[in-house]
Amino acid sequence: MGLVGRHELRSLSAHLSRWQKIALGFAISLFLIYATAPYDGSLRAFFRFQHSVAQNYYQGQHPSDGWLYRRQRYPLDADKDIGLIIKTGYGTKHRMPLALRALSNESFFADVLVVQDFPVIPEQKQYNLTNGKAVDIVDILGWNLKRGALKGREHLERIYKYKNLADAVEAEEWVLSEGLGKAIGWELDAMKFLPALEYAWNTLPKKKWYVMLDDDTYVIKNTLSLLLGHLNFGQPHYLGNPVGDYKGRFPHGGSSVILSGATLRNLFEWHPEIVAEANLESPFAIWGDKLLSTTLMKVAIYLDETYRRFFNGEHPWMTRLWADRLCLPIMGFHGLGERQIMEQVGEVFKDPKGPVLWSSVAKIYGVPDYQKFIDVPIRPNMNYVGRLDEQVTMVENVARAEDCFDICDGHSTVCMAWVYDPAIKRCDLAPWAILGDLADGRFSGVNGKLGKRLVERCHGPS
């Protein structure tokens, strides 16, 4: 630093009070501690979490969708620029043809890799999309073992379980295989995430984006194209539906996880030693999506919660239509394990003409619009709140359903739906609404005034 710089610092210091100097010194010390802290350390995690909380609160108070329909700086062709990685297991392998057919229905013909936890059996050597495009299949745990990524871990219980399943499948002992697959599927799934991404990076043509999903998850092509066209695939991006506390924030795997090509290059080409450590940790991991997140933290790539409102972890009828995301496109649905549900979703969203907004899900499934809830606000034997959690406000000793409706109407900015149980005289208020569930003896409704006001503010494609 030159004489002028030192002089300016002395001059600034002379004009500061004692307490200002202490505050400045504390701020500088805090910055230095943060800057030198490990990327995956508790200090950085704490500050990132607090920033996400503040950001989430602001976005909730000031929802915005206009930016989505401005010119895209990074437009993409979803079929060419996105690689899909679908995880399945022996106990759920029957879902794969249905999941691929559902994707094909919306003309989503990307390169697809199916990763599983058992050897590829003869009749399963290849799946195809409906346009004839081949889908690769790999026993990802067998591949990871064969290449030595789990060297020294072969004696562990989870590895023995995989080998027992593999032996049963190869011996064509189908009853035993089915039992093992259902019993240990969740344990083996935790070991798939990192090797699946690495296999995709090494074998698929290089992609701008990679999307990992479960075999009971459905993603909407138009939403992917609309969102990702605004993000620079040349920068590390890691997107999803956040769960967990500040010590281990990670995206819910069933809601789908999105990573840019730059993220995979950073991890698998520039930091193979970090990947090697994570592979050795995988036989102990409870959640593979969390292991992926903590591994990326070590290379300074963190879950970006800015786009959390696009992601959904429920099937359509239990999807929570939050007040702060009605104008945004929905990424897809999860929990479609039953044959008829996946088939139905594939047909309902076949050949979409434009973005599928959260607010349009109700219309697509024939639920009355907000004006009809204004006209007839109380519906018997229905529940538009669904599953309760800590964000539901419970009001006790409410005499009538009409009183419950009035309470919701009085909370016109935070109550999206209400349900009243006359047996216990309780009124539950939620900041979301579901499409509606049958509930004998209860009364429920949707805040039509709030919903109508919110959707009237939505933008859309020009």
Side-chain angles (χ1 to χ4, degrees), residues 64-242:
S64 171
D65 66 309
W67 61 273
L68 274 167
Y69 304 104
R70 300 183 190 127
R71 185 181 67 86
Q72 293 184 325
R73 296 184 62 191
Y74 309 97
L76 73 158
D77 180 333
D79 292 344
K80 295 179 181 177
D81 298 330
I82 295 176
L84 291 180
I85 304 159
I86 306 179
K87 298 187 291 88
T88 191
Y90 191 86
T92 62
K93 64 183 184 303
H94 61 279
R95 298 174 179 172
M96 281 310 310
L98 303 172
L100 295 172
R101 191 180 310 134
L103 289 172
S104 297
N105 276 358
E106 57 169 322
S107 303
F108 199 176
F109 299 122
D111 286 331
V112 181
L113 172 67
V114 174
V115 294
Q116 57 189 38
D117 53 22
F118 62 96
V120 179
I121 55 183
E123 62 267 29
Q124 188 213 9
K125 280 186 178 176
Q126 186 170 292
Y127 293 121
N128 293 91
L129 301 177
T130 57
N131 69 342
K133 188 172 185 178
V135 173
D136 290 335
I137 313 170
V138 61
D139 171 8
I140 200 65
L141 301 189
W143 175 77
N144 218 21
L145 275 167
K146 197 171 295 183
R147 70 183 183 133
L150 297 168
K151 189 174 182 179
R153 296 289 195 261
E154 296 89 346
H155 64 286
L156 294 175
E157 181 182 6
R158 193 173 289 181
I159 306 300
Y160 276 128
K161 289 179 177 179
Y162 160 74
K163 290 180 177 179
N164 287 339
L165 174 59
D167 289 344
V169 171
E170 290 178 338
E172 299 184 357
E173 297 180 2
W174 307 128
V175 175
L176 176 59
S177 300
E178 196 71 32
L180 289 171
K182 291 179 178 178
I184 64 177
W186 71 270
E187 293 183 73
L188 302 185
D189 185 70
M191 299 175 63
K192 294 174 190 169
F193 283 76
L194 279 158
L197 287 169
E198 185 171 4
Y199 189 92
W201 176 251
N202 291 331
T203 60
L204 293 180
K206 293 296 184 281
K207 302 295 181 181
K208 295 178 180 179
W209 297 95
Y210 295 81
V211 179
M212 178 178 282
L213 53 149
D214 291 346
D215 54 18
D216 61 343
T217 301
Y218 177 85
V219 290
I220 297 174
K221 177 182 179 180
N222 280 350
T223 301
L224 284 169
S225 299
L226 189 57
L227 171 61
L228 299 181
H230 291 280
L231 304 180
N232 184 355
F233 56 86
Q235 298 294 324
H237 284 288
Y238 177 37
L239 315 177
N241 191 4

